[in-house]
Amino acid sequence: GAVVSQHPSWVICKSGTSVKIECRSLDFQATTMFWYRQFPKQSLMLMATSNEGSKATYEQGVEKDKFLINHASLTLSTLTVTSAHPEDSSFYICSASPTGAGNQPQHFGDGTRLSIL
Amino acid sequence: RKEVEQDPGPFNVPEGATVAFNCTYSNSASQSFFWYRQDCRKEPKLLMSVYSSGNEDGRFTAQLNRASQYISLLIRDSKLSDSATYLCVVTNYGQNFVFGPGTRLSVLP
């Protein structure tokens, strides 16, 4: 149980393109999902906390107008990288745990490798 | 000071060796603790939760010392497949999951 699906797994696109990444909880509902970014040989960095039915909470230094998050249902959160540039190339990962699970561990999607040319 | 700190690594050990990773956290209100492993270019996967009384899962043993705000992971009889980055994760009622920077382990033949 507790499977998180992330799509797409790999994206290569031109600079200036907007890219949407989906994160789905397949067998549970998640009021909250988390979006991370990881550059090569660096640790995971939390970008934002996605809240179902309300605005996302962004970490300091993360531009909310650049990284649009929509959490329209209890099983789906999307991250849109708007007008992506080469410096946005990174590994983006989402995570979630069942609503009301308290201190249960997070389950991660497979990640999306984004390459901007 | 970072909220979660780990041994800087990397650790290069021969097969069969015993290796221990350390992690400290600064938020005394932290409630739950986990160890994840992350293989190169993959997402983190849960290795084990860490309980106050300490817990063991096969070759892996996790310990928690709340007074010292310290967590450890011990791997016995290392296998080549144990090579990965090990991430310490600390959370407070699921509201804020904080990852440590990770410690890279390479098990050598």
Side-chain angles (χ1 to χ4, degrees), chain A residues 19-65:
Chain A
V19 179
K20 180 188 280 188
I21 304 170
E22 293 186 349
C23 181
R24 292 181 185 272
S25 54
L26 296 186
D27 51 359
F28 65 96
Q29 294 184 332
T31 306
T32 303
M33 294 184 177
F34 299 92
W35 286 97
Y36 298 85
R37 181 168 55 181
Q38 187 174 35
F39 292 106
K41 298 189 178 182
Q42 294 189 24
S43 58
L44 281 169
M45 289 185 58
L46 179 65
M47 297 176 67
T49 302
S50 173
N51 304 299
E52 188 269 335
S54 64
K55 291 182 180 179
T57 305
Y58 290 83
E59 295 299 300
Q60 192 173 10
V62 178
E63 299 175 58
K64 61 180 180 180
D65 295 329

Side-chain angles (χ1 to χ4, degrees), chain A residues 42-44, chain B residues 2 4-7 85-88 99-103:
Chain A
Q42 294 189 24
S43 58
L44 281 169
Chain B
K2 290 182 181 177
V4 179
E5 298 192 66
Q6 295 185 238
D7 290 330
T85 296
Y86 289 82
L87 303 166
C88 171
F99 283 79
T103 302

